[in-house]
Amino acid sequence: MKRLIFVIITGLLLNCSNNHSQKKEAWDVIARQEMVQTQIISRGIKDQNVISALLKVKRHKFVPKKYEKLAYIDGPLPIGEDQTISQPYIVALMTEKLELKSGDRVLEIGTGSGYQAAILSLIVQEVYTIEILPKLAETAKKRLKALGYNNVYVKCGDGFLGWPEKAPFDAIIITCATPEIPAPLIEQLADSGRLILPQGEETQTLTLYRKIGKNLKKEELIPVLFVPMKGIIREEH
Ligand code: SAH
């Protein structure tokens, strides 16, 4: 009898502690499901790979601790150094528009927190990402490694120049605003490759290009607001 009571009490205690740890785990899972439903699917994102990546990547691990609980809101957030992590919907839209395939190799300009790179890494084979600010590049590199995103390669440098040693890329995503596409990036885009960027300065339009032979086919999407591209591009204007 004593033994039976012991077993029941132990069982109850174990069950309690399990429930407790499940509850602790669950807030971000629920927050991501809600984010995907209300901000992503409801606005027309259909690509299942994009949806599943947004459900998986723990966005709260990509923002400063004080913003952790705000990580799933419908907007951008500061990540230090006067830079921001983009709104989840914009991340989803840019990713979907690139029409990615599992074997693709993608170049990102503007690593920032590393969130967009993590999303891409779940969809394609390899992600190369360049960040101009050393502090952000270092933090993103460590973060992506700690979270197990092993197919993302982070480099600190001016994205204007691209990553010629790793070209050609099936897709290029620029996550800082520039009036023109830097010429080296056009060169490093594979034939039939897609490139998306916030194009402009004070007013910007999310713009998608498709490379067909030597030509670029242009499609303007929606107005957006990104931080400006720094570095060489400024010297040219
Ligand atoms: N994709 C990021 C958000 C990008 S914010 C994320 O998922 O968090 C834009 C980033 O572009 C900033 O971190 C900024 O420092 C970087 N940036 C600006 N000019 C750049 C350049 N010439 N080359 C590489 N990165 C640049």
Side-chain angles (χ1 to χ4, degrees):
M1 186 62 183
K2 259 190 190 160
R3 207 185 146 83
L4 182 64
I5 291 173
F6 174 77
V7 169
I8 292 172
I9 289 177
T10 319
L12 282 174
L13 284 175
L14 276 177
N15 199 15
C16 270
S17 69
N18 268 348
N19 276 346
H20 184 67
S21 62
Q22 268 171 15
K23 252 186 207 152
K24 241 172 124 189
E25 268 288 298
W27 80 269
D28 64 297
V29 177
I30 293 167
R32 279 196 295 284
Q33 284 165 353
E34 203 173 300
M35 170 188 88
V36 164
Q37 201 51 55
T38 60
Q39 303 172 30
I40 308 299
I41 295 173
S42 67
R43 292 194 180 119
I45 300 294
K46 291 198 173 61
D47 187 328
Q48 278 310 315
N49 292 332
V50 176
I51 291 172
S52 127
L54 268 101
L55 282 171
K56 280 194 195 126
V57 178
K58 295 176 185 283
R59 187 170 158 94
H60 64 285
K61 303 273 188 202
F62 291 80
V63 297
K65 252 214 147 14
K66 61 179 168 185
Y67 297 122
E68 227 181 56
K69 285 286 189 287
L70 294 177
Y72 299 97
I73 61 164
D74 192 9
L77 283 171
I79 53 168
E81 308 276 304
D82 281 332
Q83 307 303 316
T84 54
I85 178 172
S86 311
Q87 182 189 9
Y89 171 65
I90 297 296
V91 172
L93 180 65
M94 289 176 86
T95 312
E96 182 174 71
K97 289 289 176 187
L98 287 174
E99 292 177 22
L100 300 168
K101 292 178 290 301
S102 57
D104 282 353
R105 298 165 66 256
V106 180
L107 174 68
E108 179 192 28
I109 309 304
T111 315
S113 67
Y115 178 72
Q116 172 76 70
I119 294 286
L120 291 165
S121 82
L122 294 183
I123 303 172
V124 301
Q125 192 170 334
E126 284 171 352
V127 180
Y128 294 86
T129 179
I130 308 175
E131 170 57 53
I132 200 165
L133 298 176
K135 237 183 172 168
L136 288 181
E138 201 43 49
T139 310
K141 196 176 196 167
K142 281 194 194 137
R143 175 181 288 141
L144 288 161
K145 188 162 185 248
L147 294 172
Y149 294 102
N150 297 323
N151 57 343
V152 181
Y153 304 92
V154 183
K155 177 166 100 164
C156 183
D158 193 326
F160 182 96
L161 300 168
W163 201 323
E165 304 82 13
K166 302 292 178 187
F169 299 98
D170 302 294
I172 298 180
I173 175 167
I174 307 178
T175 64
C176 40
T178 164
E180 313 284 349
I181 311 172
L185 298 184
I186 301 175
E187 242 163 70
Q188 292 171 32
L189 188 62
D191 196 16
S192 307
R194 293 79 59 202
L195 182 151
I196 197 160
L197 82 158
Q199 190 160 11
E201 286 180 292
E202 288 97 56
T203 59
Q204 306 160 13
T205 307
L206 194 60
T207 310
L208 176 69
Y209 290 89
R210 190 178 294 270
K211 193 171 177 181
I212 301 159
K214 289 252 172 262
N215 299 321
L216 284 177
K217 194 172 146 255
K218 179 178 180 182
E219 186 189 340
E220 293 191 337
L221 303 170
I222 53 166
V224 283
L225 190 59
F226 277 71
V227 294
M229 187 182 270
K230 304 177 201 295
I232 300 167
I233 196 109
R234 300 282 127 203
E235 293 155 25
E236 290 203 336
H237 288 87

